[in-house]
Amino acid sequence: VSAMRDTAREIQILTADNPAHQTEVQALAQRIELFAELLQRVDDIGRREGFSAARQLATSDEMRKTRGDLENLLHAMADQER
């Protein structure tokens, strides 16, 4: 997650001259934070309730959607640069 945050900061610096990209970078940063929160919840649940409970959240629709939204945004940003 820290590498994702670092990459988002680098993208923000590289696209500072483009307001549309800045909006996308903000959306990217928000999705990264949401993903990080979910990962933290998985870890917390794993510690409190065990592997099976953590696995349920890790494979939940919420996690899949969050990861998918993040991947889709990254793909869209990459496509715009081509």
Side-chain angles (χ1 to χ4, degrees):
V1 172
S2 89
M4 292 162 71
R5 288 177 178 139
D6 291 345
T7 300
R9 278 191 286 274
E10 288 175 29
I11 293 169
Q12 186 173 24
I13 291 166
L14 293 172
T15 61
D17 62 335
N18 186 324
H21 284 184
Q22 289 298 299
T23 300
E24 291 170 340
V25 171
Q26 289 174 355
L28 177 63
Q30 290 172 344
R31 284 176 176 81
I32 290 170
E33 291 310 312
L34 181 56
F35 188 65
E37 289 171 13
L38 284 171
L39 290 176
Q40 185 61 55
R41 282 179 42 205
V42 168
D43 186 57
D44 292 345
I45 288 171
R47 291 176 194 277
R48 283 192 323 267
E49 300 174 32
F51 176 77
S52 182
R55 184 179 54 191
Q56 279 187 301
L57 177 57
T59 59
S60 70
D61 289 341
E62 180 182 15
M63 182 65 90
R64 273 192 289 275
K65 181 180 180 336
T66 301
R67 187 174 48 242
D69 289 348
L70 183 56
E71 290 171 358
N72 290 339
L73 181 57
L74 287 169
H75 290 298
M77 291 173 72
D79 288 346
Q80 287 178 7
E81 289 302 309
R82 291 186 188 138

